Amino acid sequence: MSIGKTIDYYFAPQSPWTYLGHSRFAAIAAAAGATVRVRPIDLGSVFPVSGGLPLGKRAPQRQAYRLVDLARCSRHLGLPLNAKPKFFPVASDDAARIIIAVDLHDGTEAAMRMCAAVFAAVWAQERNIGDPNVLEALVVEAGLPAKRSEQSQSQAVQERYEAYTQEAIDIQVFGAPSYVIDGEIFWGQDRLDFVERALHA
């Protein structure tokens, strides 16, 4: 087994598929001794260059299948999920910036914990991650300093958010979640078996 591989973890905070895969991904990475680099991205910038469409612009049959598949995956994984949450679609830039701020100040493990809190807020708790007060509450609930909310509005955090998004575009990431190992993209939580194999190759 090759220990010490790095996984670049590209995601959007409002992605249900990222939520469904997050805890399993974290466990797989930890078991393999891999380093995770947390990379929140703006899908609003990625989709126009990758051919992706926001949910409301997708064909009806694609929208219908998405709901079926979300319910199927939720049951299979034993994770609570409201396929039509109260606060979705939702602006996720502030949530992305908070995750980046936590990563910068508290490290990867804390950032992964913050990710879990944000994802669950949307898909299991009917909370609005577009509301700064909700985000600040999530920071505190994750056991982190409330000032991370203020720090997330810094220029340094914004520049990193833009850099991660451009990085994703440059390496041809087109959706969330995407796990990148040695330049190879694994798109979707349903590809985590292949992520695990790549880490143990």
Side-chain angles (χ1 to χ4, degrees):
M1 180 174 73
S2 178
I3 296 292
K5 289 193 175 183
T6 297
I7 313 164
D8 288 334
Y9 180 29
Y10 295 96
F11 61 88
Q14 77 277 28
S15 161
W17 309 108
T18 305
Y19 161 67
L20 287 169
H22 184 72
S23 59
R24 185 176 170 214
F25 166 62
I28 287 169
T35 298
V36 176
R37 296 198 299 189
V38 177
R39 299 283 193 262
I41 60 173
D42 175 17
L43 285 180
S45 296
V46 172
F47 280 168
V49 297
S50 67
L53 291 173
L55 181 61
K57 293 185 177 180
R58 294 175 197 167
Q61 55 269 54
R62 287 178 178 267
Q63 294 193 41
Y65 182 80
R66 172 184 171 278
L67 294 175
V68 171
D69 206 32
L70 283 173
R72 180 188 294 147
C73 291
S74 172
R75 285 193 304 270
H76 174 67
L77 296 168
L79 287 172
L81 180 139
N82 179 357
K84 292 184 176 182
K86 182 177 180 181
F87 298 103
F88 184 85
V90 63
S92 64
D93 291 336
D94 283 347
R97 284 188 282 258
I98 278 193
I99 291 166
I100 291 169
V102 169
D103 190 33
L104 282 171
H105 293 280
D106 307 290
T108 302
E109 186 177 330
M112 291 289 279
R113 194 164 74 244
M114 192 68 224
C115 285
V118 168
F119 304 157
V122 181
W123 297 102
Q125 298 168 4
E126 300 284 39
R127 295 165 83 180
N128 181 10
I129 64 165
D131 182 339
N133 293 324
V134 170
L135 289 174
E136 187 169 333
L138 290 171
V139 169
V140 173
E141 288 166 23
L144 297 160
K147 64 182 176 182
R148 295 293 176 260
S149 295
E150 183 181 345
Q151 291 166 333
S152 72
Q153 299 302 310
S154 73
Q155 185 62 28
V157 167
Q158 178 60 26
E159 288 175 0
R160 190 163 288 217
Y161 183 35
E162 292 172 5
Y164 291 162
T165 300
Q166 187 58 51
E167 191 179 279
I169 291 168
D170 291 344
I171 65 170
Q172 301 188 331
V173 164
F174 55 87
S178 288
Y179 318 96
V180 182
I181 303 168
D182 296 333
E184 184 175 358
I185 298 170
F186 300 82
W187 172 49
Q189 60 87 27
D190 54 345
R191 293 297 180 269
L192 281 170
D193 285 348
F194 291 103
V195 168
E196 188 168 27
R197 292 177 198 178
L199 292 174
H200 291 268

